[in-house]
Amino acid sequence: MLRTPGAWTFLLPGFAARQPFAMLTISIVLLVQHTTGSYGAAGAAAAVTGVSMALFAPYGGRLADRYGQRAVLLPGVLVHAVSGLALTALALAHAPLWALFAAAVPTGASVPQIGPMVRARWGVKLKDSPLMTTAAAFESVTDELTFVVGPLLATALCTAVDPAAGLVTEAALTLLGGLLFAARKSTQPPAGGAGGPARAARASALRVPGVRVLVVAFLGIGSVFGGMQVSLAAFTEAIGEPGLNGVLYGVFAAGNMLSGLVCGAVAWRVLPHRRLVVGYAALALAASGLWAAHSALLLGGLGLLVGMCIAPALITGYTLVEGLVPAGARTEAFTWLTGAVALGQAAAVTVAGQLEDRLWGGAGFLVPAGGTALALVTLLALRSRLVTPPRGRTVARGVGHRAPLAVD
């Protein structure tokens, strides 16, 4: 896969450009908590940013499909950098919370969707190659690596340099990395796909029934990420070992990365929609036991298992997009999925926090269990919508009494 001509020209700048995305939430939390003294205010500002990103990202993806990635990235990274710096200035000036929310909305809405754009470029390079599954696995592992390095870098900057250093660095890296990625024009998908801009204007990835099913599945995956973040912190605090929080979450992320590598190395013969149902059932089963863990060792083992079940579901979902969605709408489709993960994560953080406060320690683990169970029910009920149409065949709709005919 990495020997694909031109791959490195968008992989390296793509990795640099998506790194700041993993720094954004923790940088906002640390800065706002420092200036307000309230974790509630910090979490609310970060949540507004996440929800704004989840709601606006698909429209940015659609514009990228219609007009080209470069046309969306150039103004997008400028808006994001200015909004992020404005949010920083307002926080340092001890502005009221509503002003922070006002700045958080454009900051989240303008987050460049580099991951979906890289996946769309793989689609152009590999087309119907079996290596698309490998590319999906590679991108999943890259995302996990990003979310390991990004928060560590942001935390180090905010604690060792200045509370505002994380968000300022995030804005600067987004601008620089986004401009470098946008400069690689030769590998970006053609604007409007095969049918040009007019065709892309009429098409929407969300009109594809299979994409709507995948959005529900990815909401459930987001509930795992959000529920684990809050509940692991509460669990380690309750047992008097808060330092174990990073270790346990690192084990969870390691399971995700490990299974992603394995999944990309396997030449699958099972159809992707069947793999998704089986893999998601394993994820729901593994998540259902988290709430019953009463020791750090057992929770670490279950967390590793849950992480190992996430990557196959993510990879298979992204692989299905290649067959379900026309080329001119794939960037939008990928942003719907990444936005669904972010939205599910934001909702899970809120609900899990309430459960931890109001019920028993570890009650927040009910959120991943419930979220994946509901998504699994949806997958089982609507799995037929994930079947990709056969390549190279056209189905006539028929006129009057004529029956539809399958033709070469």
Side-chain angles (χ1 to χ4, degrees), residues 184-197:
R184 312 309 304 176
K185 296 186 293 183
S186 61
T187 57
Q188 73 174 355

Side-chain angles (χ1 to χ4, degrees), residues 166-179:
L167 198 52
V168 171
T169 303
E170 188 275 338
L173 289 177
T174 297
L175 181 61
L176 178 60
L179 292 177

Side-chain angles (χ1 to χ4, degrees), residues 295-392:
S295 69
L297 183 61
L298 178 58
L299 187 57
L302 286 173
L304 178 67
L305 182 60
V306 171
M308 293 177 67
C309 293
I310 284 180
L314 282 173
I315 293 166
T316 308
Y318 283 124
T319 302
L320 280 166
V321 168
E322 297 296 327
L324 292 171
V325 181
R330 284 178 187 162
T331 305
E332 180 198 352
F334 288 133
T335 53
W336 275 113
L337 299 188
T338 55
V341 173
L343 190 60
Q345 182 174 350
V349 166
T350 303
V351 175
Q354 293 295 321
L355 291 177
E356 290 289 348
D357 288 340
R358 298 174 185 273
L359 299 179
W360 68 90
F365 287 122
L366 293 174
V367 174
T372 53
L374 291 174
L376 177 60
V377 171
T378 302
L379 275 178
L380 291 173
L382 303 176
R383 62 186 181 277
S384 61
R385 299 186 181 183
L386 297 174
V387 179
T388 56
R391 300 280 184 177

Side-chain angles (χ1 to χ4, degrees), residues 135-327:
F138 181 84
E139 291 304 311
S140 178
V141 173
T142 302
D143 286 340
E144 282 300 311
L145 180 61
T146 297
F147 277 95
V148 170
V149 175
L152 290 176
L153 176 60
T155 302
L157 288 170
C158 290
T159 55
V161 181
D162 186 87
L167 198 52
V168 171
T169 303
E170 188 275 338
L173 289 177
T174 297
L175 181 61
L176 178 60
L179 292 177
L180 288 174
F181 184 76
R184 312 309 304 176
K185 296 186 293 183
S186 61
T187 57
Q188 73 174 355
R199 179 176 179 180
R202 296 192 301 268
S204 174
L206 205 58
R207 294 181 181 178
V208 179
V211 171
R212 297 196 291 269
V213 177
L214 290 175
V215 165
V216 175
F218 277 55
L219 281 169
I221 292 174
S223 74
V224 177
F225 286 117
M228 291 288 285
Q229 288 175 352
V230 172
S231 303
L232 285 175
F235 178 85
T236 54
E237 186 72 28
I239 65 174
E241 296 287 348
L244 285 177
N245 181 30
V247 176
L248 292 177
Y249 198 84
V251 170
F252 166 69
N256 198 346
M257 294 178 65
L258 177 62
S259 64
L261 291 170
V262 174
C263 192
V266 173
W268 295 99
R269 296 184 180 181
V270 181
L271 293 176
H273 68 280
R274 294 177 180 172
R275 297 204 310 267
L276 180 61
V277 172
V278 173
Y280 214 96
L283 173 61
L285 181 61
S288 66
L290 289 169
W291 67 273
H294 298 294
S295 69
L297 183 61
L298 178 58
L299 187 57
L302 286 173
L304 178 67
L305 182 60
V306 171
M308 293 177 67
C309 293
I310 284 180
L314 282 173
I315 293 166
T316 308
Y318 283 124
T319 302
L320 280 166
V321 168
E322 297 296 327
L324 292 171
V325 181

